Amino acid sequence: MFQSLAFVFSNVAFWVILFFFASSSVPGWATKNWLPTLFENNLGLSMKWSGPMATLTIAVSSFIGVMIGGPISDRWVKRNVRGRIFTSAIGIALMIPTLVFIGLAHNAWLSVMAGLFFGVGYGMFDANNMPILCQFVSSRQRAMAYGFMNSIGVIMGAIATQLLGGLAKSVGLGMCFTFMGGLLIVALILQLTMLKPKFDDKDMESAVSPENAMAETITDL
């Protein structure tokens, strides 16, 4: 267990993946927990309408995003090994402006459209987290690495939910959503500049390493 932890935590790419996963979890959980309240405040709706409207908007569009992001990623990676990263980056890029519109819009149609595009972007991002992890972490450590990522994501969601509740009275809930877009800009830059896989599966890299090639040659002889 300690060897696996040491191997994963010494991997710079894992820390980049962990950062953009955790930073994207912040608006992901914020929309689940605070979007109904934001719609209620900005649009003057009762919770009877703002709750279902916010929940259905994000849930349906996220499902659509997964259905779009998965096939695009699977096809793109066949032509470019960074295809999964680019697909995820497109999803994050969609989330950035929509968070601003969600936070500042006072029109029901504009708010719903922003929520729909946010959900599609989040679905495209979410569908590619594990495939991207597989490009940098061996199958021996993937379950542990992804479990740690999920734990951090939930912790960040809990912290964000608490912080938004406190900041809503001072700066406004809408501005909080706008600030989260700035956090995603940093995550997007790191994702595009730092993640450069060599194969679609980390195990393929090990399979073609000189040491393994020599071992296979000796075995054949």
Side-chain angles (χ1 to χ4, degrees):
M1 182 184 68
F2 292 110
Q3 288 179 344
S4 296
L5 288 170
F7 180 83
V8 170
F9 293 148
S10 63
N11 188 339
V12 176
F14 174 75
W15 287 104
V16 176
I17 296 170
L18 181 63
F19 179 82
F20 77 72
F21 180 85
S23 58
S24 299
S25 294
V26 172
W29 282 97
T31 53
K32 293 181 179 72
N33 297 331
W34 284 107
L35 192 56
T37 303
L38 182 64
F39 279 177
E40 182 184 32
N41 295 340
N42 284 2
L43 306 179
L45 300 174
S46 66
M47 190 59 70
K48 174 183 177 181
W49 295 103
S50 63
M53 184 172 77
T55 303
L56 288 174
T57 297
I58 299 300
V60 172
S61 58
S62 295
F63 178 76
I64 294 173
V66 170
M67 294 297 101
I68 294 174
I72 289 177
S73 173
D74 289 339
R75 293 190 179 193
W76 201 342
V77 78
K78 293 178 181 178
R79 293 177 293 166
N80 188 325
V81 73
R82 301 186 73 197
R84 301 195 188 280
I85 295 167
F86 293 149
T87 306
S88 175
I90 291 172
I92 294 178
L94 277 175
M95 293 162 63
I96 294 170
T98 54
L99 282 171
V100 178
F101 281 108
I102 288 174
L104 302 181
H106 291 270
N107 177 276
W109 285 107
L110 186 57
S111 297
V112 170
M113 288 301 297
L116 287 172
F117 277 100
F118 172 85
V120 170
Y122 190 84
M124 293 179 67
F125 151 80
D126 199 35
N128 284 284
N129 286 324
M130 186 58 172
I132 291 175
L133 182 70
C134 292
Q135 293 184 304
F136 297 95
V137 177
S138 169
S139 58
R140 297 180 181 180
Q141 292 90 25
R142 282 174 196 164
M144 185 274 295
Y146 200 71
F148 186 80
M149 285 172 55
N150 274 326
S151 298
I152 296 298
V154 173
I155 291 171
M156 292 299 296
I159 294 173
T161 301
Q162 186 72 19
L163 284 177
L164 286 177
L167 292 174
K169 297 180 180 179
S170 57
V171 300
L173 197 54
M175 287 303 298
C176 292
F177 272 73
T178 303
F179 293 152
M180 287 187 288
L183 179 64
L184 292 185
I185 292 176
V186 178
L188 180 62
I189 293 172
L190 287 175
Q191 183 183 25
L192 291 175
T193 57
M194 299 294 291
L195 297 184
K196 298 177 181 179
K198 297 180 180 179
F199 297 94
D200 189 30
D201 190 322
K202 180 68 174 178
D203 290 346
M204 294 173 63
E205 183 177 348
S206 301
V208 299
S209 65
E211 293 82 2
N212 285 342
M214 180 66 71
E216 290 177 1
T217 303
I218 294 175
T219 300
D220 293 338
L221 291 175

